[in-house]
Amino acid sequence: AQKVTQAQTEISVVEKEDVTLDCVYETRDTTYYLFWYKQPPSGELVFLIRRNSFDEQNEISGRYSWNFQKSTSSFNFTITASQVVDSAVYFCALSGFNKFYFGSGTKLNVKP
Amino acid sequence: EAGVTQSPTHLIKTRGQQATLRCSPISGHTSVYWYQQALGLGLQFLLWYDEGEERNRGNFPPRFSGRQFPNYSSELNVNALELEDSALYLCASSLILLQEQGGPQHFGDGTRLSIL
């Protein structure tokens, strides 16, 4: 069965703290894709990153970094030096054959 | 470039009625996806249309249906509405070639469906 688990329902941090959002997935596919999306309070979903199952290189984009580990079926997302504008719900997603599976989301509150 | 547009923004219905939600994809995108985001829950995949055909559907009853028009816009129809259908319905579009490679989907702002 395909499944994405984001165990952290809600996280609160103070500005400038680092925060890691966890994502664990299940799939029987050998080829799959993993995504992170951000949903700010305004509601629209914003694509952040895509990773394919053959590329376990970690990626850094500004204050954002992603750690993909197939051995533990995890695709964690770290925000360094968090800012108030990072406050949002973050969704991890898995793309299997013809379908997308989303986690339930982690609500991140960054307080000034 | 215009993004994915959805209408209406809000829709209020009563139990047993039928609802129609509309989505216009980004120009050039041929695939349209529908998702349900119920309160307190994550995004649930509903339907995927490409080139006018239903490619796949999630675990939803048959009263959730839709179609895609020749201009790639799409409708989601929900018949015999139930209280638990109250949710935000999101539409997303992508290029099919990118989808095969796991490309990103671009989301609209959603339609808030409330069942009284």
Side-chain angles (χ1 to χ4, degrees):
Chain A
Q2 317 269 32
K3 187 180 175 182
V4 177
T5 302
Q6 294 180 255
Q8 303 150 308
T9 305
E10 188 164 354
I11 302 174
S12 292
V13 299
V14 177
E15 216 172 10
K16 297 184 182 176
E17 285 185 12
D18 299 346
V19 58
T20 296
L21 310 181
D22 298 332
C23 173
V24 175
Y25 63 92
E26 294 177 32
T27 181
R28 292 178 188 166
D29 294 337
T30 52
T31 300
Y32 53 90
Y33 303 88
L34 295 164
F35 302 79
W36 276 95
Y37 286 88
K38 174 182 179 180
Q39 188 178 38
S42 51
E44 78 278 13
L45 274 162
V46 178
F47 164 77
L48 293 178
I49 190 172
R50 177 196 70 191
R51 254 317 186 229
N52 75 54
S53 51
F54 298 109
D55 184 0
E56 284 192 74
Q57 265 191 329
N58 291 331
E59 182 159 338
I60 298 174
S61 176
R63 298 184 296 107
Y64 295 170
S65 62
W66 291 270
N67 184 353
F68 176 26
Q69 292 194 339
K70 284 180 77 170
S71 61
T72 56
S73 297
S74 65
F75 186 43
N76 297 336
F77 173 30
T78 297
I79 301 175
T80 303
S82 60
Q83 300 176 1
V84 172
V85 293
D86 296 327
S87 296
V89 178
Y90 291 85
F91 290 97
C92 179
L94 166 71
S95 174
F97 182 69
N98 291 348
K99 279 188 181 180
F100 265 71
Y101 302 87
F102 282 82
S104 54
T106 297
K107 184 176 182 182
L108 175 63
N109 302 305
V110 181
K111 301 174 183 177
Chain B
E1 171 185 88
V4 176
T5 57
Q6 291 186 245
S7 62
T9 304
H10 292 98
L11 191 55
I12 299 175
K13 295 284 186 178
T14 57
R15 286 181 63 189
Q17 285 188 315
Q18 185 243 4
T20 298
L21 288 63
R22 297 179 176 83
C23 172
S24 291
I26 290 173
S27 177
H29 286 189
T30 61
S31 273
V32 170
Y33 309 81
W34 286 96
Y35 297 89
Q36 182 194 67
Q37 187 176 26
L39 190 62
L41 298 177
L43 288 163
Q44 304 294 320
F45 168 73
L46 260 167
L47 289 159
W48 172 31
Y49 291 96
D50 182 71
E51 297 285 359
E53 301 280 336
E54 182 182 299
R55 299 294 185 183
N56 216 333
R57 64 181 292 129
N59 295 325
F60 281 83
R63 57 191 187 82
F64 286 84
S65 65
R67 54 180 173 167
Q68 187 178 32
F69 300 98
N71 66 354
Y72 304 118
S73 66
S74 176
E75 275 183 2
L76 173 68
N77 296 296
V78 188
N79 294 319
L81 286 165
E82 300 178 3
L83 292 176
E84 53 264 34
D85 296 333
S86 293
L88 178 68
Y89 289 83
L90 288 163
C91 172
S93 74
S94 76
L95 289 170
I96 181 59
L97 289 180
L98 286 179
Q99 169 56 26
E100 290 173 348
Q101 299 164 17
Q105 297 179 1
H106 300 269
F107 287 80
D109 292 341
T111 293
R112 174 74 58 188
L113 177 61
S114 299
I115 313 302
L116 304 179

